[in-house]
Structure formats: C-alpha cells, structure tokens
C-alpha cells in the first residue's frame, strides 16, 4: 500500500472544495463499494463519528476503529476507521482515503499528512479530501491524480456583528482557549438557559454527550474551540467568532482567512444556508476576508511540512541526523519542531539513557518512547522525565513496565471529584496511560491495563459531562427531560414498569452513591459489542437481560428500523445515541442473516453489471434466490467475477443460488425473525428449527421467505433441499440420499414426490417398475423401508395430497421467485 509501485497502479482521486460539500460522505459511500477500505481522519472525535456512521450501515462486525488511545478490533474487519497517525499502513486494502489533507501544511502534524499524501495508497483506489487550496500542490506531487472540484451544497453569508443576547437559536460561538469558552458558556447560560461545550481536549465520550445534547435540541447554543472545524457534523445555522487570533503552539497569531472559513463553514448543513459573523466585542471582518469566505477563494498552499521517513537507527545521533535531513523537493519545508524530536534530543544526552542504548533495537525503542504524546501540554521537562523513567524500565529486568510503578501513576487519576478544570487535567493525564497501555509488548497484562485506563477515562468523561451540564445547563432548560438516574433501592415487586428491574440493576452497579446516570448507562450500551445484546424471535432487544428496544418494520427485510422500549425515559441526546447503536446492531443482524454477504461492495459502481445485478438480488433475497432468477446474470459473469462471488460464499445449487453462510442455523433464525417482522405475522410453528413441515396453508413465496421450499406435500428447509439436490446430482450419492431421507423421516409417497421434484427418483424405483412391467402388472410405488422407523417427526405425518396451481409450486424447472 505504501510503495511507489502500488501508487502508480492505484487510481488516485483528489476531491477538493469548501466545507459542506459532502466529500466525506461520498468517500464513505465509495469505500463501501469496495471489499476492503481504510479512512484516515484528523481527529479521534471525527474518527469515532465516522465509525458510528459506517457501523450503522454495515454493522460493527465488519469495522475496526484505530486511534492512539482507542482500538475496537473485530475478528475479521473489512473497513478501518483511523486517525491519520494511527493508520496501519502495512495492511493492504482496496480503497484508502485521507481527510483534511490541507493539514499537510500544519506546523506540527503536517509531516504525517505529507507522508500519507506521498506514500499511502489503496490497492485499487485512493482518495484525498480537503480544501481547494491544495489543488496545485497535489497536482504537482501526483501528476496522474484525477482532480475533482467539490461544490458547497448551501450558501454561506456574512451576518455582521451580534451580541450574545441577539444570537439566533442553533448558533455556535467559537473561542480559542478553554477559559474563554467557559466564560462565554456561563454568559449564554444566564441569557438563554443552556449551552453545550465542545473542546478538543474533551474525551470522545464527553464530546459525544455534549454534541448529542445540542443535536437533539435539549440546548440551542454551542460554545466551542476550533475543534468543530474539522468535519464534525453539527446542525448549525450561525457561527459567531469571539476571537480572531489563537496560540498555535509557538506564538499568538491572527487566523488566516482559510482557517476562518473552515470554522465558519460549519454553519449551514446540507441544503440549509448558513451565516457567520463576530460578537460585537470585535471589529467587523474586513470586506476582503468576507468575500474570500463567501466565495471560498483563498491563496493556494505553496509548501508542505515534511520529515524524512528513512530513519537511521544506528545510534541516537544518527537518528537525530536523519530526522534533521533537509528535503530534496522545493515544495517541502522540514518540520521546525515536534515533541518527539525534542524529547529524543533531551533523552539522548542523559548518561543513564546513553548507557543502555547500545544497539539498533535500543534506538528504535527509544524513538517509540519519545513518540508518546504529551496530552497535558504542561511543562515539557515533566513529560521528558516520564519518558526517561518509561524507557529505563523497558530496558531493565524483564523489559516491561513495573506494575507497582504503573499503579502509582494511574491510581491517583481514578478520582471523579473536583471541578471542570481538575477533571480535564486528569483526563489529559489518563490519555497518556491509555496510549501506553496499547503498546502491548510494554506491559505484562496489557489487556487489563487497557481496561483499567479506559474505565478511568470513561468515568472522568462522565463526571466532566455532568459538571458541564450542572454548570451550563439550567434546570429550566431540562425540565421536559426525565433524567435517567436510578436509586439503589429495589423497586416494589408489583411494579409493572419494564425498567424497574433495570433501575435496581443500575443502582447496584453504578457510582459510589449507588446511582448510575443516564450518560453512564448510555455509554455502556454504545461501547458494548453486538454479542452482548439479546434479540428474540419477535425482534425485542435486551441489554443485560433488560428490555431496551425493538426492531420495527422497515421498507424491506434488509432495512428494519428500531424503537426504544420507553423513549420518554431518555433525554434527546441519549435517545439519539441509543438509536444509533441499535441501528448498528440491526445491520449486524441483517448481515448475519445473509451469511456475511458484503452486499454494499458487490453492488458498487466498480462491479460489472451482472455482478451488481446478482448481488442486488441476493441481498434482496437475504442471501438466497432461485436458480431461475439468477440464471441470466450467472451466465453473463466472467470467470474473475464468478470466483469473487464464490470467495464470499456464493454457491449455485440445484434449485437456489445462495450464500453458504445464509443457510447456517443462526442465519436461518435471523432470516425468520426479519421475515416475520416485515410480514407483520408470526412465523409458522416449527420455523426454522424443524427441517420438514406440512405444506398445508403455505404458498411458495411465503415459504421461501422463511427459508423453506414446497415439495409435494411437505415444506423442506432450503439447506436440506440443497443437500438432497447435491446428493442427487452426484453419480454415487444414492447412499447419502437414503441417509438424509431416513433422517428426515420422509416416507413412502412423500419421499418419492420430494425426490421427483428435485429431479431424481428413489433408488431402485426405476428397476422395480421395469420388472413389474415385464410381468404385465400396472406400475406401482413400493413402500420405502424408512417407513419402518415409526411415525414422522415433522408436523403432519400423514402425506397431504399434492396441490396443483401457482400457489403450490412454480412452473416446471423455474421456481416462483421469492
């Protein structure tokens, strides 16, 4: 993926334009048209948002999330959603995308984006998304790139200066320091009753809760830093700047017009127009800046930040020299400063470190330690001291961090008391240890430490969200919402509230006061893997044995919708997050019913028309269609497409083309549940457990929808239909046919009719018939030996007369479609 050769063979697309052009949405859709894909996002907040969107489409079982501090890895992921720094470049995928590529000009992080621009490639297709200012640079560095201009979907207009009091609902006020954000939030709270807060330093857990509170309409105003400028989807009508300068890590400077546009462009989503302006404490924006933002025209980026990727690990000095190497291309500027480089320079001068760095492996380890991020952004010397101790422990004894020392560092952070600033400081500190815990080779019990640090970060995030709500959302603004807080007292046994038992459970497992807040419970649901949920045959969804929601009828069997069991219990933000998680669960259930069939990628624009048509039909049939439905498109498939379908489990059977996994027992159960849900009627008794059922009362279409085929007087489950059909097709399959029919207790005339409809005859029947004709007797059907095994186990043991007409079976050789 990262070789130049793969870069030449891959189609490279650069889709460049302003905000609200749908670039990220189109990239997600295009990725899902491929078998495998990877997206690199600039923020872990945005990575989590895209992860939620993708899992709502294809389920969590097919999607991995990779950031420096969070990893969600299913056994066999097809799609990877990552921060740009965490992209696993050694993993080959068909499609690769990098968002906000203009960050290649960022003073500190730019070299990572530049490296991805130069080297990261998908096997078949690569997309770079970003601002129009990158067009000349991308075209210069990738001559074969296909450039696309993205057009904004709505208008963005300047609205001048406004006071806080005159801000319209659905407004965001943007400042560039945490103290200023809190000051503005407090002022808005007094004026408007409630406000949500978003800062880059918040954990994804806290940020998601705050954004959900705003998106659901619980509060109408948002105060944020420029963290909202990086692709986060918010329902904003107006953006007001409270400041036009910021500290960029090196100096306090005025924002460039394109930086203002990146933030202002968050106003007006999709087809809704938006406005931007300043608070009346600032001067009016200069006319040239206003025009540039409204027309999306800015000076092109002329240089990118670069750092040498060919590192020399012979010694610390050699590594420093290779990192300091000047670029050979005049489009690149060597990175001026970076925390990892500064840490390496400081540590390499310490005698204790130099004494143990004696070989290449030691230098490589030192460099890995130096790359531990300093989320606290405090005194750099304090961070270097932490790196020194970490490195010395990893190079001594058994080469792992001492558990006692780790506990001494982590335990003080497991404290949810204190004010907002105290909690944010602890959050920044625990993020360092969360990062370290994901270096599995550094710890003896890595999974245990990952769980512990994650638990602490989650608890701090919950507490911070509660503090933010307490401080910036007045009770009057939340009067209509029933806050989900459960006491530890066990409810009366006579209570018929379906959440009564859940309240008791939450009280027992909640906070130190015996309570679990709404946010804590919602986050548990959001973080739970799909195996934790219980879904019964009627589509009722339980979490930890308590009712949570249910599936409801959608437009077809593949698109069930979800409804919460008691929606009025939850605040608006909690409802949105729970519904999103249940939508992802619903996608997992549908994918399971289809045997893991990757319908989205096989119906994509890059596939041949026969492949797309066949995949669409298979998806519509929840993993199986009749041979008659598939015949024309199957015949048109080229050999490569046919092999691709076979690789994902598609089989051409006697009567059906099907996905092998869709005929597995659990898949058939899911199929039954989805079908009953869509038809708004319970499944027939015995479906899908019983392999053979009485055909009376069934029609062909409904039987196939539930996974059965009508054959004479019986309905035979389709997996058995195909097993029998395959045995009949095989020259020496008579023994298997005998064994199967005996196992199914198909007897006498029923057995003969089933085999005849499958294109075969009971073994020995033809020869007996010929002998009887030679004696001049009329043809007759001898009773089968299997009848001696006793009565049939399936429903309706007495053979039912065969019914003629379209409801009993399709035309000869062409079964009626499902």
């Amino acid at each position: 993926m990262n070789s130049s050769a793969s870069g030449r063979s891959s189609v490279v697309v650069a889709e460049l334009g302003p905000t609200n052009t749908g670039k990220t949405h189109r990239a997600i859709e295009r990725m899902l048209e491929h078998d495998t894909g990877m997206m690199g996002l600039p923020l872990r907040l945005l990575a989590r948002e895209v992860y939620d969107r993708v899992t709502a489409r294809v389920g969590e079982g097919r999607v991995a999330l990779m950031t420096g501090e969070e990893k969600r890895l299913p056994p066999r992921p097809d799609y990877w959603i990552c921060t740009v720094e965490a992209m696993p470049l050694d993993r080959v995928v068909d499609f690769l995308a990098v968002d906000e590529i203009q960050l290649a000009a960022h003073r500190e992080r730019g070299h990572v984006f530049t490296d991805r621009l130069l080297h990261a490639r998908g096997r078949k297709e690569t997309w770079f998304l970003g601002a129009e200012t990158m067009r000349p640079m991308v075209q210069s560095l990738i001559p074969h790139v296909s450039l696309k201009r993205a057009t904004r979907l709505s208008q963005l207009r300047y609205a001048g200066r406004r006071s806080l009091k005159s801000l319209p609902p659905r407004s965001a006020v943007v400042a560039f320091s945490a103290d200023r954000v809190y000051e503005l939030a407090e002022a808005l709270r007094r004026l408007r009753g409630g406000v949500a807060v978003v800062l880059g330093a918040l954990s994804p857990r806290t940020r998601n809760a705050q954004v959900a509170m705003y998106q659901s309409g619980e509060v109408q105003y948002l105060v944020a830093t420029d963290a909202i400028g990086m692709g986060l989807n918010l329902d904003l009508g107006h953006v007001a700047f409270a400041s036009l300068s910021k500290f960029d890590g090196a100096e306090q400077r005025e924002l460039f017009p394109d930086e203002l546009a990146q933030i202002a462009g968050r106003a007006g989503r999709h087809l809704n127009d938006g406005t931007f302006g300043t608070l009346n404490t600032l001067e009016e924006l200069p006319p040239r800046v206003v025009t540039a933002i409204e027309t999306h025209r800015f000076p092109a980026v002329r240089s990118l930040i670069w750092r040498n990727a060919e590192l020399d690990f012979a010694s610390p000095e050699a590594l420093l020299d290779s990192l300091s190497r000047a670029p050979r291309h005049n489009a690149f500027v060597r990175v001026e400063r970076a925390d990892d480089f500064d840490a390496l320079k400081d540590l390499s001068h310490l005698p204790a470190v130099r004494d143990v760095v004696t070989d290449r492996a030691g230098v490589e380890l030192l460099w890995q330690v130096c790359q531990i991020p300093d989320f606290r952004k405090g005194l750099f010397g304090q961070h270097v001291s932490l790196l020194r101790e970490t490195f010395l422990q990893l190079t001594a004894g058994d080469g792992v961090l001492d558990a006692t020392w780790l506990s001494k560092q982590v335990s003080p952070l497991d404290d949810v008391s204190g004010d907002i600033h105290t909690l944010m400081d602890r959050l920044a500190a625990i993020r360092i240890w969360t990062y370290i815990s994901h270096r599995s080779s550094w710890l003896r019990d890595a999974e245990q430490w990952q769980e512990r640090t994650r638990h602490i970060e989650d608890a701090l995030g919950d507490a911070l969200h509660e503090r933010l709500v307490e401080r910036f959302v007045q009770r009057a603004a939340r009067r209509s919402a029933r806050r989900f807080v459960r006491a530890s007292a066990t409810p009366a046994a006579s209570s018929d509230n379906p959440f009564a038992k859940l309240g008791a459970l939450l009280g027992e497992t909640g906070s130190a006061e015996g309570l679990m807040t709404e946010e804590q419970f919602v986050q548990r649901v959001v973080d739970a893997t799909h195996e934790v949920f219980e879904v019964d045959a009627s589509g009722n969804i339980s979490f930890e044995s308590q009712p949570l929601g249910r599936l409801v009828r959608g437009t077809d069997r593949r698109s069930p919708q979800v409804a919460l069991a008691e929606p009025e219990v939850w605040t608006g933000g909690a409802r949105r997050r729970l519904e999103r998680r249940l939508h992802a669960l619903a996608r997992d259930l549908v994918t399971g019913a289809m045997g893991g069939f990757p319908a989205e990628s096989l119906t994509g624009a890059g596939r041949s028309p026969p492949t797309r048509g066949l995949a669409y039909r298979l998806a519509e049939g929840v993993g199986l269609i009749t041979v008659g439905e598939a015949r024309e498109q199957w015949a048109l498939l080229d050999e490569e497409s046919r092999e691709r379908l076979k690789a994902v489990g598609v089989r051409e059977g006697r009567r059906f083309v099907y996905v092998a996994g869709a005929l597995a027992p659990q898949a058939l159960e899911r199929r039954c549940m989805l079908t009953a849900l869509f038809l708004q009627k319970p499944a027939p008794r015995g479906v899908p457990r019983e392999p053979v059922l009485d055909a009376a009362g069934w029609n062909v279409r409904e039987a196939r929808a539930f996974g059965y085929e009508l054959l004479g007087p019986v309905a035979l489950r389709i997996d058995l239909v195909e097993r029998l059909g395959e045995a009949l097709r095989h020259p020496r399959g008579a023994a298997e046919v005998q064994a199967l029919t005996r196992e199914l207790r198909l007897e006498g005339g029923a057995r003969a009719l089933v085999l005849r409809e499958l294109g075969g005859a009971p073994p020995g029947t033809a020869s007996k018939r010929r002998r009887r004709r030679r004696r001049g007797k009329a043809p007759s059907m001898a009773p089968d030996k299997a009848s001696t095994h006793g009565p049939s186990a399936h429903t309706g043991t007495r053979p039912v007369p065969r019914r003629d007409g379209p409801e009993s079976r399709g035309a000869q050789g062409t079964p009626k479609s499902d």
Side-chain angles (χ1 to χ4, degrees):
M1 179 170 64
N2 57 353
S3 67
S4 57
S6 64
R8 286 191 295 271
S9 62
S10 171
V11 174
V12 181
V13 175
E15 186 161 355
L16 307 175
T19 57
N20 192 27
T21 58
K23 298 187 295 291
T24 305
H25 171 75
R26 285 190 291 277
I28 292 172
E29 293 296 313
R30 186 59 175 161
M31 178 178 72
L32 294 179
E33 292 177 358
H34 288 271
D35 294 337
T36 58
M38 183 183 298
M39 288 192 70
L41 290 311
L43 301 173
R44 70 171 181 154
L45 303 179
L46 182 55
R48 184 58 193 249
E49 180 178 301
V50 172
Y51 171 80
D52 289 341
R53 290 173 62 184
V54 175
T55 54
R57 286 284 303 278
V58 302
E60 290 194 348
R62 298 182 62 196
V63 190
L65 175 66
M66 293 280 289
T67 71
E69 304 134 73
E70 186 176 13
K71 291 180 175 62
R72 294 173 72 95
L73 291 174
R76 290 178 297 277
D78 294 322
Y79 304 108
W80 297 72
I81 309 302
C82 320
T83 50
V84 173
E85 285 85 350
M87 294 172 74
L89 296 181
D90 57 342
R91 182 169 293 273
V92 177
V93 292
D94 292 331
F95 176 90
L96 182 142
V98 179
D99 201 7
E100 306 292 0
I101 196 63
Q102 74 275 5
L103 287 177
H106 189 273
R107 179 178 294 182
E108 292 184 32
R109 300 179 64 201
H111 65 90
V112 179
F113 286 79
T114 300
D115 179 79
R116 304 298 183 260
L117 184 66
L118 295 175
H119 303 299
R121 296 292 183 269
R123 189 168 62 89
K124 295 181 179 178
E125 194 168 1
T126 304
W127 280 29
F128 294 111
L129 315 172
E132 178 69 23
T133 54
M134 284 290 291
R135 180 174 292 268
M137 190 60 65
V138 170
Q139 199 163 22
S140 171
L141 295 174
I142 313 175
H144 62 285
V145 69
S146 172
L147 289 165
K148 295 183 179 180
R149 188 185 302 274
T151 304
R152 187 175 166 89
L153 300 174
S154 62
Q155 297 295 314
L156 187 61
R157 293 286 180 258
Y158 181 55
R161 301 162 66 217
R162 289 177 180 265
S163 66
L164 282 178
K165 190 174 183 178
S166 65
L167 286 176
R170 314 312 291 168
S171 289
V173 180
V174 180
F176 298 97
S177 71
D179 288 341
R180 182 63 172 146
V181 165
Y182 296 142
E183 178 186 339
L184 290 163
E186 179 64 27
L188 266 175
R189 182 193 66 81
R190 293 196 208 99
L191 291 168
R192 298 296 188 181
V195 61
V197 174
V198 173
L199 303 91
L202 297 181
S203 69
R205 190 179 178 106
T206 313
R207 169 261 173 192
N208 288 342
Q210 289 286 306
V211 167
M213 189 170 65
Y214 172 81
Q215 289 289 83
S216 68
E218 287 181 61
V219 296
Q220 293 292 324
Y221 298 90
L222 180 74
V223 182
T225 62
D226 53 347
I228 68 169
M230 287 299 166
L232 299 181
N233 290 306
L234 298 167
D235 180 21
L236 294 175
H238 179 74
V239 170
F241 289 94
S243 175
L244 299 175
S245 66
K246 72 171 185 176
F247 182 75
D248 66 359
E251 60 183 357
Q252 187 76 22
R253 63 168 178 81
E254 296 294 315
L255 273 79
F256 300 120
D258 60 324
E259 293 175 313
L260 292 171
Q262 183 75 25
I263 301 167
R266 294 298 113 194
R269 305 307 299 160
H270 194 51
L271 299 179
N272 299 319
D273 293 343
T275 57
F276 69 98
T278 62
L279 294 184
N280 58 4
T281 54
L282 301 178
E283 298 294 330
E284 294 275 5
L285 287 174
R288 62 178 180 80
V289 174
V290 171
T291 300
I293 294 174
E294 290 183 337
T295 60
H296 321 297
R297 294 180 180 175
F298 307 99
V301 172
R302 295 299 179 189
S303 60
L304 304 182
I305 304 301
W306 176 91
R307 184 159 74 179
N308 180 34
E310 299 176 0
L311 302 182
D312 184 352
F313 293 103
S315 67
E317 291 77 16
L319 179 56
L320 286 166
D321 288 344
S322 63
L323 287 166
S324 303
R325 193 169 300 159
R328 297 188 180 92
H329 198 294
N330 58 11
F332 299 141
V333 175
R334 183 171 60 83
V335 60
E336 293 180 9
R337 66 162 302 277
D339 286 347
D340 52 7
F341 180 86
D342 293 342
L344 176 64
K345 188 164 56 175
D346 287 358
L347 289 176
S348 63
H349 292 136
L350 297 177
V353 172
R354 295 191 63 85
D355 289 344
V356 295
V357 181
T358 57
D359 57 11
R360 180 184 179 87
V363 178
E364 288 180 350
L365 177 61
L366 179 61
W367 179 232
Q368 292 171 8
V369 170
C370 290
Q371 291 178 297
I372 297 172
D374 181 17
F375 293 112
R376 291 173 296 189
K377 298 298 182 184
L379 296 174
F380 189 66
Q382 182 183 5
H383 183 64
V384 171
S385 296
L386 172 64
L387 300 185
R388 171 186 173 277
E389 182 63 28
T390 301
F391 177 73
L392 292 178
Q393 285 201 33
L394 292 174
T395 54
D398 55 3
V400 294
L401 297 176
D402 178 66
T404 303
W405 177 77
L406 270 175
S407 184
K408 185 178 179 182
Q409 307 300 316
V410 171
S411 294
L413 304 176
D414 192 4
D415 180 0
V416 296
S417 64
D419 58 15
I420 291 173
H421 289 282
T422 301
L423 292 172
M424 288 193 67
D425 288 344
R426 291 194 192 117
L427 262 174
I430 197 62
R431 288 178 66 187
I432 296 174
W433 297 106
T434 301
Y435 179 94
I436 290 174
S437 72
H438 281 93
R439 290 280 189 172
S440 298
S441 62
W442 293 3
L443 299 94
R444 184 170 290 104
D445 298 311
E447 291 186 4
Q448 176 187 335
W449 284 104
Q450 289 166 15
E451 180 63 26
R452 183 174 179 186
T453 56
R454 178 172 166 270
H455 170 78
I456 294 173
E457 183 175 345
D458 289 349
L460 290 170
D462 292 339
L464 179 57
H465 173 64
E466 290 298 316
R467 298 293 193 285
L468 292 171
V469 169
E470 289 170 5
R471 178 170 172 182
F472 300 124
V473 183
Q474 288 183 354
R475 291 185 181 275
R478 293 182 284 148
R479 189 172 295 150
S480 62
R482 290 171 54 191
R483 300 295 288 173
F484 184 92
V485 181
R486 301 293 178 181
S488 59
T490 303
S494 60
S495 174
D496 59 357
N497 185 336
F499 277 79
K501 292 182 180 178
L502 180 58
L505 173 69
L506 297 180
E508 292 168 7
T509 59
S511 64
E513 291 79 17
L515 299 174
M516 176 172 285
T517 65
E518 175 187 79
E519 170 57 27
Q520 289 171 326
F521 177 75
V522 169
Q523 194 63 45
R524 285 175 66 182
V525 175
V526 169
D527 288 342
T529 60
H530 55 267
E531 293 88 357
V532 174
F533 297 90
E534 302 161 9
V535 184
D536 67 18
S538 299
N540 296 309
I541 304 170
S542 299
F543 178 73
E544 297 177 342
S545 300
Q546 302 299 324
L548 182 61
R550 67 185 187 279
L551 298 178
V552 296
R553 189 178 193 270
T555 55
D556 54 44
R557 284 186 295 171
R558 295 175 297 148
S559 309
Q561 300 303 301
V562 297
L564 293 176
E566 242 191 350
E568 69 275 10
V569 167
W570 315 102
T571 58
R575 279 197 304 273
R576 289 174 63 92
R577 299 178 69 201
L578 288 170
E579 288 169 350
R580 171 172 277 188
R581 178 65 189 89
L582 294 186
H583 274 295
L585 174 65
R587 291 307 309 162
D588 280 320
L589 295 173
V590 173
T591 301
M594 292 194 294
F597 183 65
E600 293 83 2
S601 63
L602 290 171
T603 54
R607 306 293 181 180
S608 67
T611 299
R612 293 169 62 188
L614 191 61
Y616 179 80
R617 282 177 173 271
L618 278 168
E620 194 175 41
V622 194
L624 70 90
I625 54 176
T626 65
V627 168
E629 290 177 290
R631 183 178 291 117
E632 182 179 352
Q633 287 161 329
W634 188 268
L636 292 172
L637 291 173
D638 57 40
E639 191 59 32
E640 182 181 352
S641 299
R642 198 175 296 244
E643 290 302 317
R644 169 64 191 131
L645 288 170
K646 288 180 180 178
V648 296
V650 178
R651 303 288 183 265
E652 183 184 20
R654 185 84 167 196
R655 295 174 77 95
F656 294 91
V657 171
Y658 59 92
V659 180
L663 300 187
Q666 187 175 23
L668 288 170
E669 288 179 6
R670 296 305 185 209
R671 178 187 188 85
C672 175
M673 183 262 292
L674 294 171
T675 301
L677 185 70
F678 181 70
L679 296 179
Q680 298 287 279
K681 60 186 294 187
R685 187 174 180 179
V687 174
R689 296 182 305 277
E690 296 295 334
V692 187
L693 296 170
D694 191 339
W698 287 59
N699 61 60
V700 171
R701 188 179 188 87
E702 185 176 295
R704 288 175 181 163
F706 280 107
Y708 285 75
E709 179 75 335
L710 299 188
L711 299 169
V714 300
L716 185 60
R717 208 170 58 205
I718 287 175
D719 58 324
L720 278 307
V721 170
E722 288 303 330
R723 281 182 63 187
L724 272 173
E726 184 61 31
L728 288 168
R729 181 186 300 184
H730 198 279
R732 287 179 283 185
E736 186 175 354
V737 171
Q738 287 275 21
L740 273 175
T741 54
R742 186 177 296 113
E743 180 184 341
L744 298 172
R745 296 189 179 181
L746 286 173
E747 305 165 346
R751 175 177 178 275
L753 287 171
V754 166
L755 296 181
R756 187 178 301 163
E757 290 216 18
L758 288 176
T765 300
S767 61
K768 290 179 182 178
R769 186 173 300 160
R770 285 194 296 271
R771 286 198 299 271
R772 285 172 180 155
R773 284 176 179 172
R774 283 198 297 271
R775 293 197 296 267
K777 293 183 180 180
S780 63
M781 185 173 295
D784 188 77
K785 292 181 181 179
S787 63
T788 61
H789 286 265
S792 172
H794 64 80
T795 306
T797 59
R798 186 167 53 86
V800 179
R802 183 168 175 175
R803 295 174 293 127
D804 295 325
E807 291 304 313
S808 64
R809 56 189 175 91
Q812 185 69 24
T814 308
K816 188 173 179 179
S817 63
D818 180 4

